[in-house]
Amino acid sequence: FPVTISTQHEFVKDADVSVYVNNSFVEKLKIKINSWNEVEYIGEYFPQLNDKIKLVVKRTGKADVYAETQIESPIEIIKIDTVSTDIIYTGSLDGSVPMHLHKAFIMNCNLQFKDDGNKKNYYRIIVERREILQRDKWEFVNNYPQAIESKDLNTIVINPLESTIKEIWGGGNSEVLTYNIFKDDLFNSNVYNLRFSLRAVILLKNPDYLGEDIDYFESKKVVYRIYIQSITKDFYEYMASLSALANTNPFFSEAVQIKSNINGGIGILGAYTNSNIVEFEFVEY
């Protein structure tokens, strides 16, 4: 993708941003003000695999700021196996006949991929849920991220000592799950089976309900899109620090230092590369 930097801060509206690829100058980013009065710095160069990208930011009267990152090679998802279970229950608490029945389902997934053994790798798993609803020849499509649950991500830890302490007290390594990030310390250069679960609750038409039902959809199909991002170490540590901050008790924990790799400033310059995408359909009713 083209390099894009966005900010709302006034003091960078006239910055000079240069892009270097593998230590060679490539271009200067162009300034664009969008409809929300935000500043964007946009480039035309499309990074290639293993490119080392460096951004140098200059502004009169300010010290230079720069940051570097590298485009990671993608991994390949070999296969994914799924097993689903569901429970149907009524949604009425007062004994009346409810309009809908609630259906909760759990889908257990086993995703297999091959880790690159030539270097230390950092990953993030992404699950997207696409709903296709139909009613009276109309079709409605909703797309949104799908939360996952995974004991595996609790064992592929950020800090082994910290995880051990939490396991003793029954807490687990919960902050890993905030961004679904993990690294290859425990399975370097091997084929790995990552296990996780998807949960959702949907509404079904209750055949015993005799009143008007204006919200009922005739059918509902869901398509899951699953892929793994190969991310840079700095990007991994940045998301790990945000996760740790989000799960910190301010009264009993030490301050969390948010990861930054901007020399002369604060922030993060990271990169990710997507694996192949696996899709499967789940007809909910």
Side-chain angles (χ1 to χ4, degrees), residues 28 56 96 118 196 213 244 246 273:
K28 287 187 181 294
V56 179
S96 61
N118 295 321
F196 59 93
D213 186 356
T273 307

Side-chain angles (χ1 to χ4, degrees), residues 20-46:
Y20 293 82
V21 179
N22 300 323
N23 297 320
S24 297
F25 173 78
V26 172
E27 64 176 337
K28 287 187 181 294
L29 300 187
K30 298 177 180 178
I31 300 175
K32 177 183 177 182
I33 309 295
N34 63 27
S35 57
W36 295 278
N37 200 33
E38 296 174 333
V39 180
E40 296 181 342
Y41 292 81
I42 301 176
E44 297 181 355
Y45 177 76
F46 281 78

Side-chain angles (χ1 to χ4, degrees), residues 83-89 101-109 127-131 144-149 196-204 220-224 280 282-285:
V83 178
S84 66
T85 59
D86 58 48
I87 303 173
I88 297 179
Y89 57 94
L101 301 177
H102 292 74
K103 177 181 179 182
F105 73 89
I106 302 173
M107 184 171 297
N108 298 308
C109 302
V127 180
E128 298 172 351
R129 174 183 167 100
R130 185 171 187 263
E131 293 182 347
Y144 52 87
Q146 169 72 48
I148 73 172
E149 299 177 11
F196 59 93
S197 299
L198 310 175
R199 294 174 180 260
V201 177
I202 61 174
L203 299 179
L204 304 179
K220 181 175 182 179
K221 180 175 68 177
V222 172
V223 177
Y224 287 96
F280 60 89
F282 188 78
V283 179
E284 296 185 347
Y285 62 84

Side-chain angles (χ1 to χ4, degrees), residues 235-270:
F235 196 17
Y236 172 90
E237 292 178 346
Y238 171 71
M239 287 188 286
S241 63
L242 289 180
S243 298
L245 178 63
N247 290 275
T248 296
N249 186 318
F251 296 101
F252 302 104
S253 303
E254 295 184 3
V256 176
Q257 181 67 45
I258 300 299
K259 172 69 177 181
S260 172
N261 66 351
I262 309 296
N263 293 275
I266 57 175
I268 193 73
L269 177 63

Side-chain angles (χ1 to χ4, degrees), residues 170-182:
N173 197 30
S174 60
E175 66 263 24
V176 182
L177 298 178
T178 303
Y179 293 100
N180 299 328
I181 55 177
F182 59 101

